[in-house]
Amino acid sequence: MKAIVNSESLIYLNKLLNVDKYQVNVQKDGIKLSATKELKDTFYQVILTENTFGNEEEGKILIPKEAIKLLPKKEPCLVGDYYISTQNQKISFNEDTEFMELIEFNNPKECKCIPNFDFLMECKYAIEKDNVRPQLGSICIDKNNFVAMDGYRMGIRSIEDIITENEILIPEEVVNILKKIKGTSIATIQENNEFVKICFGRITIVYKKSELKYVNWRALINDVKKNIKVTLNVDDIKFILSQYIKLYRGYGSIVIFNINNKRSYIKSSKANEGIIKFERYISAELEGEEIEFAINARYLLDALKYHDSNFTLYMSSPVSPIILESKNKTDMILPIRLIK
């Protein structure tokens, strides 16, 4: 086989998915660079399509990742049988025939275009990390919503157009690949009985569908009563939370909101390094009863990261779930019960 590929494409593929070997497939319909990973419960493949010049020779080879690490950036590479060369170097490697065939995507359902894909992916912060409930280690696409949640919080991002009638789960391993792709404002998604395919221009990610069923997230949201409504400024709250997190070093920082009709404030829940108490007054527009509640500062900051301007906070009691809303964005966080 013989083909010319851009070194940047191979380097980028290595960045998207770190595997031991990368495959170059030269066929009549073009050049495809692929990386494949198999795990216990899933199988996924990343494919980059390269331009052709008309002088290619069909075939396929496997390039070890060590060879890719030696490539210069943004240079054309001549790839042949067990070597890859640029203008000033040539790397030879052992013959390897343990090829992973490109996934056959047969009998696909309707292909859907997803605008604002990067916006929808904002919910990824809430994916469960400890794998206690495997289905929560995914983003769930449900009609026009992207949803992620763990046992303490939920992120929902929505658009007007329906994406899928049936739930599609994007596993965390694929989410980690998607996070590395820049300029992902428009994507297409397609499924068949066995696989899901997500495309961004010349980048294609194909993975095996999960048999897991996502939790009934709508019931969790709909059960929350909205007796108390508070309008807050995003930038003010994010700044204050950042200060508390610095003081209490990360996820252990608990803050207390006191929302009232006189002068609302946020205060620290404990003393630290000589500071007995830290209170910060805030502007809050309250509708309903005055309330005081505690919340993990890092969880709240994670949820507010993508909110702009003002947001609305809803809850019914100091121990009821907290709903945060702004345009097409909904987040839910469980408060922390304080022992007085």
Side-chain angles (χ1 to χ4, degrees):
M1 67 145 285
K2 185 172 70 174
I4 295 175
V5 301
N6 192 319
S7 64
E8 199 68 17
S9 296
L10 289 168
I11 293 168
Y12 187 43
L13 184 60
N14 171 245
K15 178 183 176 182
L16 293 179
L17 186 58
N18 184 21
V19 294
D20 292 332
K21 304 166 188 176
Y22 297 85
Q23 190 162 311
V24 180
N25 306 270
V26 183
Q27 303 168 333
K28 290 181 179 179
D29 60 348
I31 303 170
K32 293 181 180 179
L33 315 178
S34 62
T36 305
K37 196 160 193 175
E38 290 185 86
L39 298 175
K40 181 180 177 182
D41 299 318
T42 189
F43 170 94
Y44 51 99
Q45 193 170 73
V46 181
I47 302 165
L48 266 65
T49 303
E50 281 283 277
N51 294 324
T52 57
F53 297 93
N55 58 350
E56 295 80 17
E57 295 178 7
E58 290 186 32
K60 54 190 175 184
I61 63 164
L62 290 167
I63 302 175
K65 68 178 179 181
E66 291 78 9
I68 292 175
K69 291 178 180 179
L70 296 172
L71 293 175
K73 295 182 178 180
K74 298 181 180 179
E75 281 198 22
C77 301
L78 177 62
V79 180
D81 290 326
Y82 313 110
Y83 73 87
I84 181 168
S85 64
T86 61
Q87 184 177 359
N88 297 314
Q89 69 180 32
K90 181 176 180 179
I91 307 167
S92 299
F93 38 86
N94 293 326
E95 180 177 348
D96 192 335
T97 57
E98 295 182 1
F99 298 109
M100 294 297 296
E101 297 299 328
L102 297 180
I103 295 172
E104 294 282 343
F105 201 78
N106 300 317
N107 303 316
K109 298 179 182 178
E110 182 183 0
C111 182
K112 289 285 189 178
C113 179
I114 308 177
N116 303 319
F117 189 86
D118 46 358
F119 158 73
L120 293 168
M121 287 289 292
E122 289 177 3
C123 67
K124 61 183 179 292
Y125 77 87
I127 290 177
E128 185 168 276
K129 302 296 191 297
D130 56 18
N131 206 33
V132 173
R133 291 161 291 185
Q135 68 270 40
L136 297 186
S138 305
I139 288 177
C140 175
I141 306 176
D142 186 353
K143 298 189 183 300
N144 61 325
N145 307 287
F146 274 43
V147 183
M149 62 184 295
D150 57 19
Y152 308 97
R153 53 196 178 161
M154 180 192 307
I156 306 167
R157 298 295 181 266
S158 307
I159 58 175
E160 292 184 4
D161 297 331
I162 299 295
I163 300 167
T164 176
E165 293 294 340
N166 302 312
E167 288 184 356
I168 295 176
L169 300 187
I170 306 178
E172 184 178 12
E173 296 85 1
V174 176
V175 171
N176 290 334
I177 297 170
L178 295 172
K179 288 193 292 188
K180 299 173 187 176
I181 301 174
K182 304 301 180 184
T184 55
S185 58
I186 299 177
T188 60
I189 190 165
Q190 201 168 18
E191 62 174 322
N192 61 14
N193 292 332
E194 192 174 3
F195 297 104
V196 176
K197 179 167 69 174
I198 303 175
C199 299
F200 307 91
R202 70 190 190 101
I203 304 171
T204 300
I205 302 169
V206 184
Y207 63 92
K208 189 174 182 180
K209 292 176 74 172
S210 172
E211 296 180 358
L212 298 171
K213 293 293 292 180
Y214 209 67
V215 301
N216 187 352
W217 62 273
R218 281 190 174 84
L220 297 174
I221 285 288
N222 292 337
D223 283 346
V224 177
K225 296 179 180 178
K226 297 182 177 181
N227 300 343
I228 299 169
K229 176 182 176 182
V230 185
T231 303
L232 298 162
N233 181 271
V234 171
D235 291 335
D236 287 349
I237 302 303
K238 287 197 293 188
F239 175 78
I240 298 167
L241 294 174
S242 297
Q243 295 296 98
Y244 281 112
I245 289 168
K246 288 178 184 177
L247 184 62
Y248 294 105
R249 298 186 178 91
Y251 282 90
S253 50
I254 298 171
V255 295
I256 299 172
F257 280 69
N258 186 296
I259 308 297
N260 58 72
N261 291 312
K262 295 180 180 178
R263 198 174 190 187
S264 299
Y265 58 89
I266 304 174
K267 66 180 181 179
S268 54
S269 61
K270 58 183 180 180
N272 186 60
E273 297 182 356
I275 298 175
I276 298 173
K277 185 168 65 172
F278 179 20
E279 288 185 356
R280 181 67 178 258
Y281 296 103
I282 59 173
S283 174
E285 184 179 319
L286 171 65
E287 296 181 27
E289 296 181 358
E290 296 182 350
I291 190 168
E292 183 173 87
F293 62 91
I295 193 168
N296 184 301
R298 170 57 68 181
Y299 286 178
L300 181 54
L301 186 60
D302 286 346
L304 292 178
K305 181 179 179 181
Y306 302 102
H307 286 258
D308 301 315
S309 188
N310 291 341
F311 71 99
T312 305
L313 181 153
Y314 296 97
M315 62 191 309
S316 60
S317 76
V319 294
S320 69
I322 300 165
I323 301 292
L324 315 173
E325 289 185 359
S326 62
K327 186 178 180 181
N328 295 326
K329 303 177 183 183
T330 302
D331 298 273
M332 183 174 78
I333 306 173
L334 296 183
I336 295 171
R337 188 186 296 269
L338 291 175
I339 300 174
K340 297 185 178 180

